[in-house]
Amino acid sequence: MNVRIEDSWKEHLKGEFEKEYFQDLSRFVREEYQKTTVYPAPKNMFRAFDSCPFDEVKVVILGQDPYHGPGQANGLCFAVGQGVATPPSLQNIFKEIESDLGAAPNRDADLERWAKQGVLLLNATLTVRASSPGSHQGKGWEQFTDVVVKTLNDEKEHLVFLLWGNYAKQKGVHIDRTKHLVLESAHPSPFSAHPGFFGNKHFSKTNEYLQANGFSTIDW
């Protein structure tokens, strides 16, 4: 089937799109968009991939579900659309960047600038029904994004995986720690940021590892 996703990703994932689970998932998502309000907008469903081609990935941040409020979800995990209030988790991410790096970060909540530098901002589930968190879980997205993580793990070296919270840690359990840097901490949500997320220094550790392996660092 013809999935509209960035060409390098289409090449690396082409086998998935023909599998029965993905075709069932596609039918489900298409029907959901037709009969109710679903986020993000269809054009942004694969934005994480479109903004960060396979060969350019250096860092992977794993989220869970898209935001389910109007104008929030933009296809990049933890990010929100222009003009939308910055969610608490992202506010805490910015606070940790400032504390870790000693300088105020760019607080543009869209996060496209990270993706363009090689940060794959990947949610485990790529769509959600409005005002209904978790409504598209268990439909096939998790299986697809597990394959994404496995493909990156198998086919690339010296990536940095940032796993925040138990869900992300579980999704990254099979990442080869001898090939990649895996950094884990509590989730940046206000419910768990103290003490486990604040002070993790993941942003400086990421850049130190990238630099040590000959990659350009991320301007957080």
Side-chain angles (χ1 to χ4, degrees), residues 74-178:
N74 70 353
L76 307 177
C77 72
F78 291 105
V80 291
Q82 296 287 354
V84 178
T86 303
S89 289
L90 185 54
Q91 291 182 30
N92 286 339
I93 290 170
F94 288 151
K95 287 177 184 176
E96 175 58 23
I97 291 172
E98 182 165 6
S99 172
D100 184 9
L101 302 181
N106 181 336
R107 292 180 179 267
D108 179 357
D110 180 78
L111 301 186
E112 173 87 2
R113 67 189 181 283
W114 291 3
K116 293 298 187 185
Q117 296 179 76
V119 182
L120 180 68
L121 294 158
L122 180 66
N123 275 317
T125 304
L126 300 189
T127 54
V128 67
R129 194 179 304 150
S131 304
S132 184
S135 50
H136 286 189
Q137 292 178 3
K139 303 297 184 181
W141 278 131
E142 295 94 337
Q143 185 173 344
F144 174 70
T145 52
D146 278 348
V147 171
V148 172
V149 173
K150 184 178 188 305
T151 302
L152 288 165
N153 175 69
D154 293 350
E155 299 185 21
K156 295 180 76 76
E157 292 184 341
H158 306 308
L159 295 178
V160 182
F161 289 87
L162 302 182
L163 309 182
W164 299 331
N166 290 332
Y167 185 90
K169 292 175 189 177
Q170 184 59 39
K171 197 166 183 69
V173 71
H174 296 300
I175 297 167
D176 185 347
R177 267 72 170 172
T178 67

Side-chain angles (χ1 to χ4, degrees), residues 44-62:
N44 287 332
M45 191 187 312
F46 293 110
R47 187 181 176 201
F49 305 92
D50 297 335
S51 301
C52 187
F54 183 87
D55 293 338
E56 296 177 19
V57 177
K58 297 186 289 190
V59 181
V60 182
I61 299 179
L62 292 179

